[in-house]
Amino acid sequence: MRLVPIAFAALLSLAACAGNSQTPPAVDVAIADDETVTAALFEAIRDQPPLLQAYVRRLPKGADLHNHLSGTVYAENYLGQAARRGMCFDRARNSLVEPKPACDAARGRPPVAGADGALRAVMIDALSMRNFVPGDAAASGRDQFFATFPRFGSASEDWGPMLAEAVRRAADNGVLHMELMISPDRGRSRAVGRGLASAWTGDLAAFEAAVAPQLDPLLPAIRADLDRAEAEQRRILACDTPRAEPGCAVTVRYIAQVVRLFPPEQVFAQTAMAFRMAAADPRIVALNFVGAEDDGVALRDYRLHMRMIGHLRQRYPDVAVALHAGELVAGMVPPEDLRFHIREAIEVAGARRIGHGVSIMHEDDAIGLLELMARRDVLVEINPSSNAVILGVAGADHPLPIYRRFGVPVAISTDDEGVARSEITQEYIRAIRDFDLDYDDLKTISRDSLTYSFLPGASLWVGEDARTYVAACEGADPAAPPPAACAAFLAGSAKAAAQWRLEQAFDRFEDGVHDDVSRHPHLLQPAAGAAAR
């Protein structure tokens, strides 16, 4: 890293005023440090989409904390899996289905394998948001988005290839760590709850005692499922060979999904199973409730669901909770349903992270809630494309700037990149455009994504500003091997080790940008006619 200091405040705007013929002042690349040059280049190209695309793809992005494995797979890859399994496409339901009865194009069930271009296009559009135009379709963006998941059918049950796709794309986009939402028990616990429906009285402790004997024996099979999926992922990526793909270096942890759209006894059984899995297997680091928040069952039972989690957290206090909450807008639900979801997720269920959080300013005492979130360091997982497509919320209507103004940490994530036809680079670009983020903002968001990950261990950082290393690593240079004390600290903390990897990635990124600008100083010139910022 070049250590020649230069005050960042000395940078003048690199964007010319509209109609101003004067050449804007430029950074002296010969004396500026890597971070300053990298920030200057960002300001110069932020209004030049092709250059911004290349820049942001290279940007280290820490962790993707809000990502559903089934939704991360692109429709084309689901079609490949379906074709290999001999599946059919039910044209009436726009869904992949098993060949029982056999595929028959004449009866509206053509085989996926060998589908022509027109039929293949129909399939891809049905399994994703591709070509969806709000207002021009019978379904809303919200309806189309959630409808895609059952359409995947059993094509989404083979986790090995799905994991391989997820980490390949993550590595290609500068992501070091993922926390993927999956259903590790594949519905086994829901079946337990269904079988004990007659025992449900609303007494949480009594029902927990009833389901526990049937849940614990499921753990070995769940662990074996994950073992097989990860072994297949590693085989696909050649992880244990000299030809290992970059995705092999992406660390993956899992968040156990609880589908909240079922009767209470089934939701409770899933929740109890999720806590047990997270307590028993270090790969499963948390739980989350999934399913459309505006669904009738989700609304009816929301407070009950939060009490379920709060009850079980007393037995498993070390299991983290992240919750979808506030994925709502005015008009989607009655006003009273906008006023308490985020607060109860935090105060009753003990959520350490909130997914979406779009309706924050509709909450009772919204300012007090923001202050509480900042005080407790409750991070909000922001999913720009998902919020735009499902809720119609983007730009000035989005609360991300409000969260940051109140000191609430945020991370940018993908939600369902395959369904949304996106990737985390595009999510960062949308956030840059919508929220006028600068390079320092991007670096903070990337760092926070690892700081608030559910990786175990102490943080690399002292305090909240991610600027000061812990004492053991004080003065360490990411461009060099860490001193012995720092190396020992990193070896004892998975979180700090990931954070150190991110600092190394930023060092390489900024050094590379400095080299690029040194060779091509014209990159620091703003786009012709760019307006002053």
Side-chain angles (χ1 to χ4, degrees), residues 114-162:
D116 62 23
L119 177 57
R120 182 175 171 82
V122 169
M123 293 176 181
I124 294 171
D125 291 350
L127 302 181
S128 72
M129 298 302 295
R130 194 185 76 162
N131 291 329
F132 179 84
V133 179
D136 289 354
S140 66
R142 179 263 187 212
D143 292 342
Q144 169 68 9
F145 194 95
F146 286 108
T148 61
F149 293 90
R151 292 173 180 171
F152 302 151
S154 54
S156 63
E157 294 178 359
D158 191 359
W159 292 343
M162 296 163 66

Side-chain angles (χ1 to χ4, degrees), residues 9-147:
L11 280 176
L12 298 176
S13 172
L14 290 171
C17 296
N20 188 341
S21 61
Q22 293 183 346
T23 301
V27 171
D28 187 339
V29 178
I31 64 170
D33 63 68
D34 290 352
E35 185 177 46
T36 298
V37 172
T38 302
L41 179 61
F42 175 78
E43 295 303 323
I45 66 173
R46 64 182 304 138
D47 296 319
Q48 302 178 66
L51 288 173
L52 185 65
Q53 169 71 30
Y55 179 104
V56 177
R57 177 168 294 280
R58 292 170 59 189
L59 176 79
K61 301 178 186 68
D64 188 353
L65 297 178
H66 190 113
N67 186 321
H68 301 262
L69 179 60
S70 62
T72 202
V73 177
Y74 265 66
E76 290 86 340
N77 294 323
Y78 273 138
L79 293 182
Q81 291 191 49
R84 289 189 291 274
R85 293 180 51 175
M87 295 178 71
C88 321
F89 183 71
D90 187 321
R91 301 203 67 161
R93 293 187 291 157
N94 277 338
S95 298
L96 301 176
V97 295
E98 297 291 346
K100 300 174 184 178
C103 301
D104 186 342
R107 294 179 179 274
R109 290 168 53 90
V112 174
D116 62 23
L119 177 57
R120 182 175 171 82
V122 169
M123 293 176 181
I124 294 171
D125 291 350
L127 302 181
S128 72
M129 298 302 295
R130 194 185 76 162
N131 291 329
F132 179 84
V133 179
D136 289 354
S140 66
R142 179 263 187 212
D143 292 342
Q144 169 68 9
F145 194 95
F146 286 108

Side-chain angles (χ1 to χ4, degrees), residues 260 291-303 305-306 323-329 332-351 353-355 357-360 362-364 369 373 403:
R260 58 183 165 191
E293 193 173 343
D294 65 318
D295 177 87
V297 173
L299 292 175
R300 181 196 70 196
D301 293 342
Y302 191 88
R303 283 193 161 101
H305 292 162
M306 298 303 103
L323 288 173
H324 289 73
E327 191 180 5
L328 301 167
V329 291
M332 177 180 276
V333 296
E336 51 270 22
D337 285 316
L338 295 168
R339 295 175 183 159
F340 64 92
H341 283 205
I342 298 172
R343 182 178 292 278
E344 289 223 352
I346 296 167
E347 293 190 335
V348 178
R353 297 201 314 243
I354 293 296
V358 172
S359 61
I360 179 69
H362 292 275
E363 294 264 338
D364 291 334
L369 180 55
M373 295 173 74
Y403 280 121

Side-chain angles (χ1 to χ4, degrees), residues 44 85 136 154 209 232 298 307 321 350 354 362 411 438 468 496 504 526:
R85 293 180 51 175
D136 289 354
S154 54
E232 177 67 1
R307 292 203 309 273
V321 175
I354 293 296
H362 292 275
D438 61 23
T468 305
Q504 292 175 312

